[in-house]
């Protein structure tokens, strides 16, 4: 029986644990015990911090672990890379993960990719040279934490202070108009395959909180082809070799801009639920197979339209769908409070609604 080490035991790892057990794999989870919701689900649990990669490596070596997997978390992605590298198991090198998590370094590496447009960047040490409108964000991080839109020098000062609550180093870039998308992909031994393109709806400025994700993105096939080719170039040039990626882009008229690369499957139930509803591709199984070194590429076929809508003050129009009986197109819904709060990051939400339909749904 194959043995899989899962790094982290929070709710984001539940799909990995359940899928591995379904595949007949012995699952070993490593994480702090507090909040370890995967503990009763896995075969073996070890109360070791994900940051103690040396201790986890030693235990995995003792156990004869065959693969190291994780999903939907920046911190566990790096830890898993370090551990798999220590064990000489399949995975993207840890130095590549560190590079990807540095937004400024990613800009530098990808600046010369054909057909990829690059926003102007400004030196945070010379704010007098900044042109407006612009966006300020921490050099590392995800879920829109610390991100702000600025249209004046006074807003810029506030945005810098806000971003530095999450990281002392930051990036200031030209604001790009257009629609936001994410590209879900899988890589194995340096070959990359785009699995799905997700269309996003955000709250707009100042913080661009994500309100909705819809699959597949309603864009022409010719544009999908361009996006797939650009993503292949991006992953190749940064040195990504194995695993899932969630790449955020913006498309403005005919220009495609890279926003950021996330070395993991998409959160917000994108990788663990939406992809499986909209395609015949088992994303979580693929992540596990890549970690075990036995993945085989195969075509991805579209089978439905799917999406998730988040409940908060900015998206209050969907509250009525939580007060009615479940409709056939509703897959899952959850609401934790009737008092809606204003979201400033993707963690500030009251609930969500997941759907699947044979036709696009506009709520």
């Amino acid at each position: 029986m194959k043995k899989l080490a899962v790094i982290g035991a929070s709710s984001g790892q539940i799909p990995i644990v359940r899928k591995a057990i379904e595949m007949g794999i012995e699952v070993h989870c490593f994480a702090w015990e507090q909040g370890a919701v995967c503990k009763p689900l896995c075969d073996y649990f070890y109360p070791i911090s994900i940051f103690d990669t040396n201790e986890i490596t030693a235990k995995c070596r003792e156990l004869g672990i065959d693969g190291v997997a994780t999903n939907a978390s920046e911190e566990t992605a790096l830890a898993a890379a370090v551990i798999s590298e220590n064990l000489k198991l399949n995975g993207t090198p840890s130095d590549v993960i560190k590079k990807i998590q540095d937004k400024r370094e990613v800009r530098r590496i990808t600046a010369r990719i054909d057909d990829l447009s690059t926003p102007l960047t400004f030196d945070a040490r010379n704010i007098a040279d900044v042109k407006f409108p612009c966006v300020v964000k921490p050099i590392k991080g995800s879920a829109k934490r610390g991100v702000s839109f600025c249209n004046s020098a006074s807003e810029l000062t506030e945005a810098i202070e806000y971003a530095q609550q999450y990281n002392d180093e930051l990036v200031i870039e030209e604001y790009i108009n257009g629609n936001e998308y994410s590209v879900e992909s899988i890589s194995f031994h340096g070959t990359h395959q785009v699995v799905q393109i997700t269309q996003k709806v955000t709250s707009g400025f100042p913080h661009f909180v994500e309100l909705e994700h819809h699959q597949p993105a309603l864009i022409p096939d010719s544009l999908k082809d361009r996006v797939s080719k650009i993503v292949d170039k991006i992953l190749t040039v940064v040195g990504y070799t194995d695993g899932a990626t969630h790449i955020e882009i913006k498309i403005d008229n005919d220009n495609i801009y890279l926003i950021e690369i996330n070395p993991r499957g998409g959160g917000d139930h994108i990788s663990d639920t939406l992809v499986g509803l909209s395609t015949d591709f088992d994303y979580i199984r693929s992540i596990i197979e890549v970690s075990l070194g036995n993945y085989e590429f195969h075509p991805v076929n579209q089978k439905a339209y799917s999406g998730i809508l988040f409940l908060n003050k900015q998206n209050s129009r969907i509250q009525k769908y939580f007060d009615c009986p479940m409709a056939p197109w509703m897959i899952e819904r959850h609401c934790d409070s009737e008092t809606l709060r204003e979201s400033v990051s993707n963690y500030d939400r009251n609930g969500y609604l997941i759907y699947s339909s044979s036709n696009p749904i506009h709520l």
Side-chain angles (χ1 to χ4, degrees):
M1 177 183 287
K2 293 287 186 181
K3 297 180 180 180
L4 181 73
V6 175
I7 308 306
S10 63
S11 59
Q13 308 311 322
I14 290 176
I16 290 272
V17 173
R18 286 179 171 165
K19 179 60 67 172
I21 290 172
E22 177 188 310
M23 295 167 65
I25 297 169
E26 187 175 278
V27 179
H28 300 255
C29 262
F30 296 84
W32 279 323
E33 193 151 13
Q34 184 176 1
V37 294
C38 290
K39 181 178 178 180
L41 304 177
C42 63
D43 295 299
Y44 300 94
F45 178 80
Y46 309 90
I48 305 172
S49 166
I50 64 167
F51 301 108
D52 196 344
T53 54
N54 288 334
E55 187 174 349
I56 295 176
T57 297
K59 189 64 181 179
C60 287
R61 190 171 283 125
E62 174 190 323
L63 294 167
I65 291 294
D66 299 292
V68 181
T70 191
N71 192 37
S73 166
E74 302 296 311
E75 292 177 339
T76 60
L78 179 58
V82 170
I83 295 160
S84 60
E85 194 171 47
N86 290 345
L87 296 169
K88 295 182 171 53
L89 296 173
N90 202 50
T92 294
S94 60
D95 64 331
V96 172
I97 303 296
K98 291 176 184 176
K99 185 167 54 180
I100 286 172
Q101 292 177 336
D102 184 328
K103 293 180 176 66
R104 191 162 51 204
E105 181 68 5
V106 167
R107 280 277 177 261
R108 185 188 68 79
I109 296 171
T110 61
R112 295 186 179 180
I113 292 178
D114 293 340
D115 203 25
L116 178 65
S117 299
T118 303
L120 295 174
T121 58
F122 307 101
D123 191 336
R125 296 167 297 183
N126 298 302
I127 60 175
D129 296 333
V130 174
K131 292 181 174 59
F132 300 101
C134 68
V135 174
V136 179
K137 49 193 172 184
I139 197 168
K140 294 182 180 179
S142 60
K144 299 297 192 292
R145 286 181 296 187
V147 177
S148 295
F149 171 89
C150 306
N151 213 9
S152 68
S154 60
E155 290 179 355
L156 177 60
T157 300
E158 293 177 5
I160 289 173
E161 292 175 355
Y162 176 57
Q164 287 177 332
Q165 294 178 29
Y166 298 92
N167 196 293
D168 288 336
E169 294 188 80
L170 50 88
V171 175
I172 304 176
E173 296 183 336
E174 165 193 18
Y175 172 69
I176 303 299
N177 287 305
N179 295 319
E180 286 194 30
Y181 304 86
S182 66
V183 185
E184 325 310 326
S185 66
I186 196 79
S187 300
F188 186 60
H189 292 174
T191 298
H192 317 293
Q193 181 180 20
V194 168
V195 174
Q196 184 60 286
I197 301 175
T198 306
Q199 190 154 354
K200 295 177 177 290
V201 176
T202 77
S203 62
F205 59 83
H207 301 302
F208 308 98
V209 175
E210 294 173 358
L211 303 179
E212 304 173 18
H213 305 304
H214 302 278
Q215 294 181 355
L218 301 179
I219 58 177
D221 289 343
S222 58
L223 186 53
K224 290 180 181 178
D225 185 57
R226 280 182 60 206
V227 168
S228 295
K229 289 177 179 176
I230 286 175
V231 165
D232 186 277
K233 292 176 183 177
I234 289 170
L235 292 173
T236 298
V237 77
V238 300
Y240 199 85
T241 58
D242 294 272
T245 50
H246 172 78
I247 297 180
E248 297 187 1
I249 63 173
K250 254 192 170 184
I251 300 178
D252 181 28
N253 294 322
D254 201 39
N255 299 311
I256 300 172
Y257 293 85
L258 171 65
I259 303 302
E260 64 185 32
I261 307 170
N262 297 286
R264 53 170 173 78
D268 285 348
H269 296 292
I270 291 175
S271 58
D272 62 54
T273 303
L274 298 191
V275 168
L277 291 173
S278 67
T279 74
D280 60 357
F281 187 85
D282 192 331
Y283 209 164
I284 302 303
R285 183 185 188 96
S286 299
I287 291 172
I288 294 169
E289 289 175 344
V290 168
S291 72
L292 295 171
N294 60 5
Y295 180 72
E296 293 184 8
F297 287 99
H298 53 276
V300 178
N301 298 303
Q302 183 72 35
K303 68 178 185 181
Y305 294 87
S306 70
I308 184 168
L309 298 93
F310 297 102
L311 181 63
N312 56 17
K313 189 175 287 186
Q314 294 102 314
N315 221 15
S316 60
R317 64 181 178 79
I318 70 168
Q319 190 167 22
K320 61 185 177 183
Y321 296 106
F322 292 81
D323 300 326
C324 64
M326 286 284 284
W329 50 269
M330 294 181 184
I331 301 298
E332 181 182 347
R333 64 183 178 183
H334 170 76
C335 180
D336 62 20
S337 172
E338 292 184 0
T339 303
L340 302 185
R341 51 185 178 267
E342 187 87 12
S343 294
V344 297
S345 82
N346 293 347
Y347 293 104
D348 304 320
R349 292 158 172 166
N350 292 91
Y352 62 85
L353 168 65
I354 296 176
Y355 74 83
S356 179
S357 172
S358 57
N359 297 298
I361 286 182
H362 305 285
L363 300 181

